[in-house]
Amino acid sequence: MTDDESVAGDPELKFWTMLRDTNTRLVREDGFVWRPLASFARSDLDLPPVANGLDYLVSVVDLLVPDNEGDQPTSRNLKYAILHLDAAAEVLLKARLEIEHWSLVVGRIEKGTTYAKYKAGDFQSVGTEEALRRLRQMAEVDIPAEGDASLTALGKLRNQLQHYGLVATRETIEPVAAQVLDFLIAFLDDRLLPTLQPVDQARAENDMLHVRYGLNRIQGYVDTRMSRLADELAGLEDRTVQCTRCFQDALVADDGVAPATVRCHFCRTAFTPEDIAAEYASAHRAWIGSPRDHGPCDHCGSAETVTCRVVRVSDVRATPEGSHVHGHVIFCFACARPATDDYPDRSPEAS
């Protein structure tokens, strides 16, 4: 059965796939992502573990982003961002444990422990630290240790808030939140979402659109992640451009992962050279006017992977300080180089 046939035969999968794909097209324009409060066909609460964890993450980014006037999060927002982020981490880690086996989520297996009691919530579950240990040692899931310290710091903040009280500044809280968000996004992309059933994956990906957009507006997260990516992106400046999804200078052509050979190291979105050339042209058409014909690439002969008005990170860094004018090139996303050596740009401004 093909993917299209699978979607057509499952109304719920069809709904979430349609919603995800529609929001994918719209999110680049204004950041809005429509999220049904529960399943599209029901009015009662419908939050299985992954959806529940992602709902907490959506709340976190909504609480941490500056408001429409640019004002930073209030103390109340910071409080609930800490609580919801800690809850998100615990729920999502345990959701991955449950995929291995439900008993791994139970703190201690005792006489009378049954699956029926587990489904009813009649048990004591593991905490974040133990969930990480079991994922690594019992489920043999490869999880980098870089996030452990930030998860521990977050847990301490949460315990202070929940059981006593907390006196802390935004400058103390946001770096911890940024590092935990960085860890969780990587965990979701690499260790959790690929294991889900198609309908759960489509539903999760719709929430991830909202989370990724919100993360862009959390400057602490952006600074932390871009700093972490500095070594990874070093030496790639000539084939690195601004991503059309997250607007960070982290979209690298020819990353060697076929067939999606263009990948954003910030938001992890992957494209084929043909798809990103079309999307790049479409995303920039609103402000540059109708693009001139560019012809095929002089090096590989492809016309479908070429687009005008591309600004590479190397061009930005070569621009004199204080100038906003950058060198544009006709770029081939398949070759990861200017499509022609004759002239850098055929846009009206360059005529």
Side-chain angles (χ1 to χ4, degrees):
M1 179 181 293
T2 66
D3 290 342
D4 289 342
E5 289 172 340
S6 175
V7 171
D10 185 335
E12 189 171 8
L13 177 57
K14 182 178 180 180
F15 171 82
W16 287 109
T17 301
M18 176 275 296
L19 188 65
R20 177 201 63 196
D21 293 346
T22 300
N23 278 329
T24 297
R25 292 191 296 271
L26 295 177
V27 70
R28 296 193 308 273
E29 297 176 8
D30 61 7
F32 173 77
V33 174
W34 183 54
R35 300 178 63 249
L37 295 179
S39 177
F40 71 99
R42 303 173 59 176
S43 59
D44 56 337
L45 188 63
D46 178 25
L47 285 174
V50 175
N52 187 30
L54 283 171
D55 190 58
Y56 277 124
L57 273 191
V58 167
S59 174
V60 170
V61 298
D62 285 346
L63 289 166
L64 288 180
V65 297
D67 62 21
N68 293 333
E69 284 72 41
D71 293 334
Q72 295 300 318
T74 64
S75 58
R76 188 173 187 274
N77 283 6
L78 290 173
K79 167 188 173 180
Y80 284 102
I82 290 171
L83 297 177
H84 291 181
L85 185 55
D86 186 76
E90 183 173 341
V91 169
L92 292 170
L93 290 171
K94 289 192 287 190
R96 184 61 181 86
L97 271 180
E98 185 184 44
I99 290 171
E100 296 297 321
H101 197 273
W102 63 268
S103 64
L104 293 176
V105 183
V106 180
R108 175 182 288 184
I109 302 293
E110 299 176 331
K111 184 178 181 179
T113 300
T114 64
Y115 181 65
K117 285 188 175 181
Y118 171 79
K119 295 301 290 183
D122 185 13
F123 69 99
Q124 185 71 37
S125 69
V126 297
T128 299
E129 184 177 348
E130 177 64 11
L132 274 173
R133 187 191 70 80
R134 294 189 182 191
L135 281 169
R136 289 170 174 145
Q137 297 180 11
M138 302 173 74
E140 296 184 331
V141 177
D142 181 19
I143 301 176
E146 287 82 358
D148 290 15
S150 56
L151 284 169
T152 299
L154 176 66
K156 290 179 179 178
L157 290 173
R158 180 264 180 194
N159 287 340
Q160 287 178 274
L161 272 174
Q162 194 76 358
H163 301 299
Y164 179 71
L166 176 66
V167 178
T169 65
R170 178 171 60 86
E171 289 74 18
T172 302
I173 294 170
E174 283 195 339
V176 175
Q179 291 177 41
V180 173
L181 286 167
D182 188 36
F183 166 80
L184 286 178
I185 293 302
F187 174 76
L188 282 158
D189 286 338
D190 299 336
R191 305 290 179 257
L192 182 53
L193 298 189
T195 69
L196 302 181
Q197 294 298 313
V199 64
D200 297 322
Q201 192 171 80
R203 178 175 180 173
E205 287 169 350
N206 190 63
D207 279 346
M208 289 297 288
L209 289 171
H210 186 93
V211 172
R212 293 186 202 281
Y213 182 84
L215 289 176
N216 265 335
R217 301 179 60 199
I218 302 171
Q219 192 59 46
Y221 173 83
V222 175
D223 291 345
T224 296
R225 181 146 180 79
M226 287 303 293
S227 176
R228 179 178 172 181
L229 291 173
D231 290 341
E232 188 176 316
L233 294 170
L236 305 177
E237 292 85 356
D238 282 350
R239 50 194 174 101
T240 302
V241 301
Q242 187 181 83
C243 178
T244 56
R245 300 292 178 87
C246 69
F247 307 105
Q248 299 304 308
D249 292 333
L251 184 69
V252 181
D254 190 21
D255 71 351
V257 183
T261 59
V262 183
R263 181 171 58 95
C264 179
H265 289 232
F266 185 91
C267 70
R268 296 171 174 261
T269 304
F271 306 86
T272 64
E274 294 80 5
D275 287 344
I276 186 56
E279 180 162 317
Y280 204 91
S282 175
H284 289 73
R285 197 168 296 169
W287 62 272
I288 68 171
S290 299
R292 300 283 184 88
D293 293 336
H294 49 65
C297 175
D298 289 350
H299 308 288
C300 69
S302 171
E304 289 74 23
T305 61
V306 177
T307 189
C308 301
R309 300 286 294 175
V310 176
V311 178
R312 300 172 296 171
V313 170
S314 58
D315 299 322
V316 175
R317 294 183 180 177
T319 301
E321 186 175 355
S323 173
H324 66 280
V325 179
H326 308 300
H328 300 96
V329 296
I330 300 173
F331 192 75
C332 177
F333 283 99
C335 293
R337 58 191 295 189
T340 175
D341 295 326
D342 294 338
Y343 37 82
D345 194 2
R346 295 182 187 174
S347 64
E349 293 88 341
S351 301

